[in-house]
Amino acid sequence: RTHGRAAVPPWLWVLVRAVALGGVYAGIYELITVETSFGTSVGATLWPASGVTVSVLLLRPRREWPFYLAAIAVADFTMDIVSAGFPTRVAFGLAAANCLEPLLAASLLWRWLRARPDLSRLRDLGLFYVAAAVCGPMLSATVGSVWQWLLDGGAIWPFGGRWYVGDA
């Protein structure tokens, strides 16, 4: 019941949650860049944004995923340029790689379990680990480091290794 007030359309709540996720992602990005970067080289020892994004996808209906992935892409792209100083062409690929990670992990879990994982069950926990800490980070680290290498001449190693370990 709205008690005389207009009901908020469901799509608006999705948009609000997506914008909030983008803000949280950008905040985590800046915090991690400031606190755990390797001096002048790129790479972070810890990347909690990957866990947050996988969790959001797992908790929300699949029809909402494009909004959350778009918010992650915009936040990552912006922070890659503003905070890390990457050229636009490199930031585009890094943002795409960071969207592929939660998408792959959440998609694998839905495919394998046909439901949200129940992390109190050992099987679900193991599959979550494989999807979110092995497969997703492996894909994003590979795509991101190769993209940067191709377009900007950055080193695949140790950049890709740091990316993988930080996300995993």
Side-chain angles (χ1 to χ4, degrees):
R1 299 175 58 170
T2 61
H3 299 289
R5 290 179 281 185
V8 177
W11 64 266
L12 186 57
W13 285 117
V14 173
L15 186 60
V16 166
R17 284 191 295 268
V19 169
L21 175 62
V24 167
Y25 190 97
I28 291 171
Y29 191 117
E30 185 62 20
L31 177 68
I32 295 304
T33 299
V34 168
E35 296 299 329
T36 71
S37 289
F38 291 96
T40 57
S41 69
V42 177
T45 55
L46 176 67
W47 192 250
S50 61
V52 169
T53 55
V54 170
S55 298
V56 167
L57 292 187
L58 288 174
L59 292 172
R60 302 304 309 160
R62 287 169 154 200
R63 67 181 178 276
E64 296 178 8
W65 289 10
F67 297 97
Y68 303 123
L69 292 169
I72 294 164
V74 168
D76 193 272
F77 177 79
T78 302
M79 296 306 290
D80 283 341
I81 293 170
V82 172
S83 187
F86 285 112
T88 303
R89 65 187 183 279
V90 174
F92 176 78
L94 300 180
N98 276 318
C99 286
L100 289 172
E101 180 175 344
L103 179 60
L104 176 65
S107 296
L108 286 173
L109 285 164
W110 276 107
R111 181 176 178 92
W112 293 338
L113 299 171
R114 304 276 185 231
R116 280 188 200 125
D118 176 356
L119 299 182
S120 67
R121 294 189 335 219
L122 189 57
R123 175 180 180 264
D124 288 15
L125 181 61
L127 290 174
F128 180 83
Y129 175 77
V130 169
V134 177
C135 297
M138 188 178 299
L139 176 65
S140 68
T142 301
V143 169
S145 60
V146 169
W147 182 268
Q148 184 198 23
W149 171 71
L150 287 172
L151 295 182
D152 203 33
I156 291 177
W157 187 262
F159 183 65
R162 288 178 183 158
W163 184 324
Y164 176 76
V165 169
D167 285 19

